[in-house]
Amino acid sequence: MVDNRTPPASDDVLNPKTATEKLAKNSKNEQDELSEEDQQLVSELEMIVERLKESSIEIHRSALENLVSVIRTTTSSMTSVPKPLKYLKPHYGTLVDIFEQWSDAQNKRALASILSLLGMVYDKENNRECLKYRLLAGYENETISEWGHEYVRHLAMEIGLEYSANVEDDEQSVEYLVPVALEAVAFFFKHNAEVDAIDLLEELNLHEAVVNYVTKDTFER
């Protein structure tokens, strides 16, 4: 059922396999092919990363807000690899290191949310970093939806994979997945994606929870 939530394969679809392949294929000569506008974006992202390396918490906060703004201007649909995500590839390891070094809780949550999004594309080792950093960023008050539908679909896929990988050892060891999974389920029902919601509930053996989300408007669907 996890595979059913994976977007159809194509060169432009944003899922971990096709996105990584496309980024790898295009990276070699990409710098020479950048338009002036793209080069300005690359420079802006580089400047933001440099600001995140500074020692000031306030500078970090401002830089994070700027980075979120830049990403959101091009990730409304999330059906293809947005340019900011593409150009952040060389900085992914640096951003992970910065996250580990910071102590300010608010800034760490904000950066974790960005790393969760980047983890969709740059998690080459299948460490489920989209899920890892979403758990660190938090998922209360609908923050799970901040990167859009395709992001939540990918997150749900990683939740299912994490559950399957660990449930045989100890069912209690996967209980931490239930709250974030239910947030995803609520999002799916709210956005007319009941099939995705039910698939996730079935994967986590939470079938009975569906009654908490079905309404007279969604029952027939």
Coordinates of all heavy atoms in Angstrom, one line a residue, residues 87-119:
Y87 N 19.2 23.7 -5.9 CA 20.4 24.4 -5.7 C 20.9 24.3 -4.3 O 22.0 24.7 -4.0 CB 20.2 25.9 -6.1 CG 19.9 26.0 -7.6 CD1 19.0 27.1 -8.0 CD2 20.4 25.2 -8.5 CE1 18.7 27.2 -9.3 CE2 20.0 25.3 -9.9 CZ 19.2 26.4 -10.3 OH 18.9 26.5 -11.6
L88 N 20.1 23.8 -3.4 CA 20.5 23.5 -2.0 C 21.3 22.2 -1.9 O 21.8 21.9 -0.8 CB 19.3 23.6 -1.1 CG 18.8 24.9 -0.7 CD1 17.5 24.8 0.0 CD2 19.8 25.7 0.2
K89 N 21.3 21.4 -2.9 CA 22.0 20.1 -2.9 C 23.4 20.2 -2.3 O 23.7 19.4 -1.4 CB 22.0 19.5 -4.2 CG 22.7 18.1 -4.3 CD 22.7 17.5 -5.6 CE 23.4 16.1 -5.6 NZ 23.4 15.5 -7.0
P90 N 24.3 21.1 -2.7 CA 25.6 21.1 -2.2 C 25.7 21.5 -0.7 O 26.7 21.3 0.0 CB 26.3 22.2 -3.0 CG 25.5 22.4 -4.2 CD 24.1 22.1 -3.8
H91 N 24.6 22.1 -0.2 CA 24.6 22.6 1.2 C 23.8 21.7 2.2 O 23.7 22.0 3.3 CB 23.9 24.0 1.2 CG 24.5 25.0 0.2 ND1 25.8 25.5 0.4 CD2 24.0 25.5 -0.9 CE1 26.1 26.3 -0.6 NE2 25.0 26.3 -1.4
Y92 N 23.3 20.6 1.7 CA 22.5 19.7 2.5 C 23.3 19.2 3.7 O 22.8 19.3 4.9 CB 21.9 18.5 1.7 CG 21.0 17.6 2.5 CD1 19.8 18.1 3.1 CD2 21.3 16.3 2.8 CE1 19.0 17.3 3.8 CE2 20.5 15.5 3.5 CZ 19.3 16.0 4.0 OH 18.5 15.2 4.8
G93 N 24.5 18.7 3.5 CA 25.3 18.2 4.6 C 25.7 19.3 5.6 O 25.7 19.1 6.8
T94 N 25.9 20.5 5.0 CA 26.2 21.7 5.9 C 25.0 22.0 6.8 O 25.2 22.3 8.0 CB 26.6 22.9 5.0 OG1 27.7 22.6 4.2 CG2 26.9 24.1 5.9
L95 N 23.8 22.0 6.2 CA 22.6 22.3 7.0 C 22.4 21.3 8.1 O 22.0 21.6 9.2 CB 21.4 22.4 6.1 CG 21.4 23.6 5.1 CD1 20.2 23.5 4.1 CD2 21.4 24.9 5.8
V96 N 22.7 20.0 7.8 CA 22.6 19.0 8.8 C 23.6 19.2 9.9 O 23.2 19.1 11.1 CB 22.8 17.6 8.2 CG1 23.0 16.5 9.3 CG2 21.7 17.2 7.2
D97 N 24.8 19.6 9.6 CA 25.8 19.9 10.6 C 25.4 21.1 11.4 O 25.6 21.1 12.7 CB 27.2 20.2 9.9 CG 27.8 18.9 9.3 OD1 27.4 17.8 9.7 OD2 28.6 19.1 8.4
I98 N 24.9 22.1 10.8 CA 24.4 23.3 11.5 C 23.3 23.0 12.5 O 23.3 23.4 13.7 CB 23.9 24.4 10.5 CG1 25.1 25.0 9.7 CG2 23.1 25.5 11.2 CD1 24.7 25.9 8.6
F99 N 22.4 22.1 12.1 CA 21.3 21.7 12.9 C 21.9 21.0 14.2 O 21.4 21.3 15.3 CB 20.4 20.7 12.2 CG 19.3 20.1 13.1 CD1 18.1 20.8 13.3 CD2 19.5 18.9 13.7 CE1 17.2 20.3 14.2 CE2 18.5 18.3 14.5 CZ 17.4 19.0 14.7
E100 N 22.9 20.2 14.0 CA 23.5 19.4 15.1 C 24.2 20.4 16.1 O 24.2 20.1 17.3 CB 24.4 18.4 14.6 CG 23.8 17.3 13.8 CD 22.8 16.5 14.6 OE1 22.9 16.4 15.8 OE2 21.9 15.9 13.9
Q101 N 24.7 21.5 15.6 CA 25.5 22.4 16.4 C 24.6 23.4 17.2 O 25.0 23.9 18.3 CB 26.4 23.2 15.6 CG 27.5 22.3 14.9 CD 28.2 23.0 13.8 OE1 28.1 24.3 13.6 NE2 29.0 22.3 13.0
W102 N 23.4 23.7 16.7 CA 22.6 24.7 17.3 C 22.0 24.2 18.6 O 21.7 23.0 18.8 CB 21.4 25.1 16.4 CG 21.8 26.1 15.3 CD1 23.1 26.6 15.1 CD2 21.0 26.6 14.3 NE1 23.0 27.5 14.0 CE2 21.8 27.4 13.5 CE3 19.6 26.4 13.9 CZ2 21.2 28.1 12.4 CZ3 19.1 27.0 12.8 CH2 19.9 27.9 12.1
S103 N 21.7 25.2 19.5 CA 21.0 24.9 20.8 C 19.7 25.5 20.9 O 18.9 25.1 21.8 CB 21.9 25.3 22.0 OG 22.2 26.7 21.9
D104 N 19.4 26.6 20.2 CA 18.2 27.3 20.3 C 17.0 26.4 19.7 O 17.0 26.1 18.6 CB 18.2 28.6 19.5 CG 16.9 29.4 19.6 OD1 16.7 30.1 20.7 OD2 16.1 29.4 18.7
A105 N 16.1 26.1 20.6 CA 15.0 25.2 20.2 C 14.1 25.6 19.1 O 13.8 24.9 18.2 CB 14.1 24.9 21.5
Q106 N 13.8 26.9 19.1 CA 12.9 27.5 18.0 C 13.6 27.4 16.7 O 13.0 27.0 15.7 CB 12.5 28.9 18.4 CG 11.6 29.5 17.3 CD 11.1 30.9 17.7 OE1 11.3 31.4 18.8 NE2 10.6 31.6 16.7
N107 N 14.8 27.8 16.6 CA 15.5 27.8 15.4 C 15.8 26.3 14.9 O 15.7 26.1 13.7 CB 16.9 28.5 15.5 CG 16.7 30.0 15.5 OD1 15.6 30.5 15.3 ND2 17.8 30.7 15.9
K108 N 16.1 25.4 15.8 CA 16.3 24.1 15.5 C 15.0 23.4 14.9 O 15.1 22.7 13.9 CB 16.7 23.2 16.7 CG 18.1 23.5 17.1 CD 18.7 22.4 18.0 CE 19.0 21.2 17.2 NZ 19.9 20.2 18.0
R109 N 13.9 23.8 15.4 CA 12.6 23.2 14.8 C 12.4 23.8 13.4 O 12.0 23.0 12.5 CB 11.4 23.6 15.8 CG 11.4 22.7 17.0 CD 10.0 22.9 17.7 NE 9.8 24.3 18.1 CZ 10.1 24.8 19.3 NH1 10.7 24.0 20.2 NH2 9.8 26.0 19.6
A110 N 12.7 25.0 13.2 CA 12.5 25.6 11.9 C 13.4 25.0 10.9 O 13.0 24.7 9.8 CB 12.7 27.2 12.0
L111 N 14.7 24.8 11.3 CA 15.6 24.2 10.4 C 15.3 22.7 10.1 O 15.4 22.2 9.0 CB 17.0 24.3 10.9 CG 18.2 23.7 10.0 CD1 18.1 24.3 8.6 CD2 19.5 24.0 10.7
A112 N 14.8 22.0 11.2 CA 14.4 20.6 11.0 C 13.3 20.5 10.0 O 13.2 19.5 9.2 CB 14.0 20.1 12.4
S113 N 12.4 21.5 10.0 CA 11.3 21.4 9.0 C 11.8 21.5 7.6 O 11.4 20.8 6.7 CB 10.3 22.6 9.3 OG 9.2 22.6 8.3
I114 N 12.8 22.4 7.4 CA 13.4 22.6 6.1 C 14.2 21.3 5.7 O 14.1 20.8 4.6 CB 14.3 23.8 6.1 CG1 13.5 25.1 6.2 CG2 15.2 23.8 4.8 CD1 14.4 26.3 6.5
L115 N 14.9 20.7 6.6 CA 15.6 19.5 6.4 C 14.7 18.3 6.1 O 15.0 17.4 5.3 CB 16.5 19.1 7.6 CG 17.7 20.0 7.8 CD1 18.4 19.7 9.1 CD2 18.7 19.8 6.6
S116 N 13.5 18.3 6.7 CA 12.5 17.3 6.4 C 12.1 17.4 4.9 O 12.0 16.4 4.2 CB 11.3 17.5 7.3 OG 10.3 16.5 7.0
L117 N 11.9 18.6 4.4 CA 11.5 18.8 3.0 C 12.7 18.4 2.1 O 12.5 17.6 1.1 CB 11.2 20.3 2.8 CG 10.9 20.6 1.3 CD1 9.7 20.0 0.8 CD2 10.8 22.2 1.2
L118 N 13.9 18.8 2.4 CA 15.1 18.4 1.6 C 15.3 16.9 1.7 O 15.8 16.3 0.7 CB 16.3 19.2 2.1 CG 16.3 20.7 2.0 CD1 17.5 21.3 2.6 CD2 16.1 21.1 0.5
G119 N 14.9 16.3 2.8 CA 15.1 14.8 2.9 C 14.3 14.0 1.9 O 14.7 12.9 1.6

